Amino acid sequence: MSFDTISIIGLGYIGLPTAAMFASKEKKVIGVDINQHAVNTINAGGIHIVEPELDLIVKKAVDEGFLRATTSPEPADAFLIAVPTPFLPIEDQDSIPEPDLSYIKSAAKAVAKVLKKGDLVILESTSPVGATEQMSAWLAEERSDLSFPQTHGEDADIRIAHCPERVLPGHVVSELVENDRVIGGLTNKCSLAAIELYQIFVKGDCAVTNARTAEMAKLSENSCRDVQIAFANELSIICDKLDINVWELISLANRHPRINILQPGPGVGGHCIAVDPWFIISETPSESTLIHAARKVNDSKPNWVVEKVKSTITDFLSANPTKAIGEVTVACFGLSFKANIDDLRESPALEITNSLASLEICKILAVEPNITELPSFISNSIELVSTSQAINESDICVLLVDHCEFEQLSEGDLKNNFIIDTKGVWV
Ligand code: SAJ
């Protein structure tokens, strides 16, 4: 099978780097996205997302004519669907969110119009178990003139597979090439075609399974990490109550040859680890008690930090009886969802800072070295300041993200402030 033209549907954090990698191997790549701004930016040789090294690769691919973006699918030999799989809005905090596959459905319907015999369609989006079979059914509904694996097995005209992305934001370019891939074809021929496609640029192994196992593998990876972080977060709350330094405790426990406890923090953020477990929980709620409990532990950690700040304000006022509560200043160090990035989406640090501001009991400063202005959706009473200004002007310093800039501070820099450290950088 030869893949002369490859189409990527969805040019976001996964689709655009993937398109760029195929183009860097001199394949003709057609990127498709409904976002006209993204399409225009890419066709001008730019990128609309933040990811190290990607800008140069995209520019070269566009300049050399291997990558082009458009808003509607065109014929190709292989289609990779990398669209969002969000959740439907929940009615109340205790309901279990249900996945929204409407972007996959729209992408499948759009691709169906240009499908031809022999084409390969791969679902890359993180999806609930059964989504690849569902996507194939949507394609078949649109194209009764073509045969699909669910009805014609190995003799089908179209090949379908699920190959989940597993790259770490911030390291996408190297991980796309080096990481092993899980390849879940609806039939063996589907898997073999998908392996041939990925081997154009992937150096890692391509491990073959079926589509449902591939879907569950991706969900299990992120759920496993969520459960392990929940254990660390629960330990941090227990240790706080027992007056034990959790960071020392974890480093001691990790000296055991078979123990590797992860790091506690202000909660779990980002668009993957805090989200993907819900695909499992929503499909098998009675069987996912541990995964569900871990979600609750991690989701409740920001609120625990807010309560900790409130009790520290009380301690500060007891130690400084001449001060009124309105004169207290709290500085929050870090707003992004993890260290050394500018991404504020689904960030527990941002949630904590915003919650503290909404209490309206004291002045809130925020330090975030990776942004130049605060997003419009957070409280306008929060003031974005430099690290030194925050230390000098605050009474209480709350470390929320372990950015390099904060790790460089010494004990002496903070000697006049009360400290709450959710990442173990200063304690
Ligand atoms: N975190 C902790 N303690 C830890 C590790 C992480 O509190 O010990 C927190 C981080 O601060 C952050 C969140 O977890 O708020 C997630 O950060 P992360 O760096 O662990 O992961 P993501 O969400 O950036 O990327 C994950 C990766 N999955 C795994 O490591 C199993 C990545 O490989 C996936 O491709 C990505 O999700 C995805 O797209 O699904």
Side-chain angles (χ1 to χ4, degrees):
M1 219 176 159
S2 77
F3 298 104
D4 295 324
T5 307
I6 300 163
S7 181
I8 314 292
I9 317 296
L11 296 172
Y13 280 87
I14 300 303
L16 181 56
T18 305
M21 295 318 293
F22 281 118
S24 73
K25 295 293 176 187
E26 307 200 338
K27 290 287 172 186
K28 185 180 163 202
V29 180
I30 305 168
V32 183
D33 202 293
I34 52 172
N35 177 347
Q36 185 70 55
H37 165 71
V39 167
N40 294 346
T41 307
I42 294 161
N43 285 335
I47 59 174
H48 60 294
I49 55 174
V50 178
E51 183 59 43
E53 298 175 54
L54 185 62
D55 50 350
L56 295 180
I57 303 173
V58 168
K59 177 142 186 26
K60 187 165 185 281
V62 173
D63 286 350
E64 291 178 354
F66 290 109
L67 173 62
R68 176 169 61 81
T70 172
T71 51
S72 55
E74 296 175 16
D77 305 312
F79 296 86
L80 274 88
I81 297 184
V83 295
T85 41
F87 285 86
L88 296 165
I90 47 169
E91 281 166 19
D92 61 75
Q93 283 309 311
D94 294 327
S95 353
I96 295 174
E98 292 295 325
D100 172 6
L101 299 189
S102 60
Y103 292 93
I104 297 181
K105 188 174 186 178
S106 306
K109 287 188 179 280
V111 164
K113 292 193 176 74
V114 295
L115 267 189
K116 60 183 188 314
K117 187 173 175 172
D119 284 354
L120 168 68
V121 183
I122 294 182
L123 179 63
E124 276 221 11
S125 314
T126 304
S127 300
V129 173
T132 310
E133 291 158 351
Q134 174 65 74
M135 180 189 76
S136 194
W138 281 325
L139 289 168
E141 257 171 49
E142 297 296 308
R143 292 297 299 268
S144 55
D145 57 320
L146 292 170
S147 61
F148 289 81
Q150 63 271 29
T151 49
H152 289 71
E154 296 290 26
D155 298 328
D157 293 334
I158 304 296
R159 312 217 190 288
I160 307 279
H162 180 61
C163 307
E165 61 81 13
R166 313 159 96 185
V167 288
L168 194 68
H171 299 81
V172 168
V173 171
S174 60
E175 290 210 353
L176 268 179
V177 175
E178 304 297 335
N179 288 4
D180 292 349
R181 299 293 303 221
V182 175
I183 309 275
L186 288 192
T187 68
N188 196 43
K189 272 191 188 165
C190 298
S191 297
L192 293 177
I195 291 177
E196 201 181 320
L197 179 73
Y198 282 105
Q199 281 179 339
I200 292 171
F201 70 81
V202 171
K203 289 189 189 152
D205 290 342
C206 291
V208 172
T209 181
N210 56 46
R212 295 173 74 84
T213 309
E215 287 158 347
M216 190 62 182
K218 165 71 197 216
L219 303 179
S220 305
E221 289 159 18
N222 280 352
S223 300
C224 174
R225 203 151 162 87
D226 198 43
V227 169
Q228 292 183 0
I229 298 170
F231 179 73
N233 276 332
E234 189 161 289
L235 269 186
S236 74
I237 293 169
I238 294 168
C239 285
D240 184 73
K241 188 148 198 171
L242 300 181
D243 199 18
I244 291 170
N245 179 324
V246 69
W247 316 101
E248 184 193 3
L249 172 92
I250 289 174
S251 78
L252 292 172
N254 283 351
R255 284 170 175 256
H256 185 288
R258 284 174 297 282
I259 298 298
N260 184 15
I261 302 173
L262 293 184
Q263 299 301 304
V268 172
H271 347 288
C272 311
I273 291 181
V275 173
D276 295 353
W278 291 113
F279 286 115
I280 299 178
I281 302 164
S282 70
E283 211 162 4
T284 51
S286 310
E287 293 76 15
S288 316
T289 48
L290 175 65
I291 299 171
H292 199 170
R295 271 289 69 245
K296 285 186 184 162
V297 169
N298 288 333
D299 270 354
S300 64
K301 190 75 192 287
N303 195 40
W304 183 85
V305 177
V306 170
E307 292 304 317
K308 190 82 197 152
V309 176
K310 281 159 75 178
S311 66
T312 306
I313 293 172
T314 308
D315 294 346
F316 174 81
L317 289 170
S318 307
N320 296 274
T322 55
K323 274 221 173 190
I325 188 160
E327 294 168 330
V328 177
T329 299
V330 175
C332 296
F333 286 74
L335 294 175
S336 59
F337 89 82
K338 62 178 180 177
N340 306 319
I341 59 166
D342 65 347
D343 195 339
L344 307 186
R345 291 174 299 168
E346 316 297 334
S347 166
L350 188 75
E351 182 186 338
I352 291 162
T353 309
N354 212 22
S355 299
L356 290 171
S358 66
L359 293 174
E360 295 182 354
I361 51 173
C362 57
K363 186 171 177 187
I364 305 295
L365 306 177
V367 192
E368 179 42 75
N370 301 299
I371 61 169
T372 50
E373 59 182 302
L374 290 172
S376 56
F377 55 83
I378 70 165
S379 166
N380 57 15
S381 66
I382 301 169
E383 196 184 330
L384 186 66
V385 297
S386 67
T387 300
S388 57
Q389 195 181 344
I391 295 170
N392 293 335
E393 294 181 13
S394 70
D395 305 300
I396 299 168
C397 292
V398 188
L399 190 286
L400 296 172
V401 186
D402 45 343
H403 288 314
C404 289
E405 180 163 335
F406 307 150
E407 288 181 328
Q408 283 156 12
L409 295 172
S410 67
E411 226 172 87
D413 293 326
L414 295 152
K415 65 178 185 307
N416 297 323
N417 306 73
F418 276 50
I419 289 171
I420 299 169
D421 184 348
T422 70
K423 293 297 290 183
V425 171
W426 297 334
V427 289

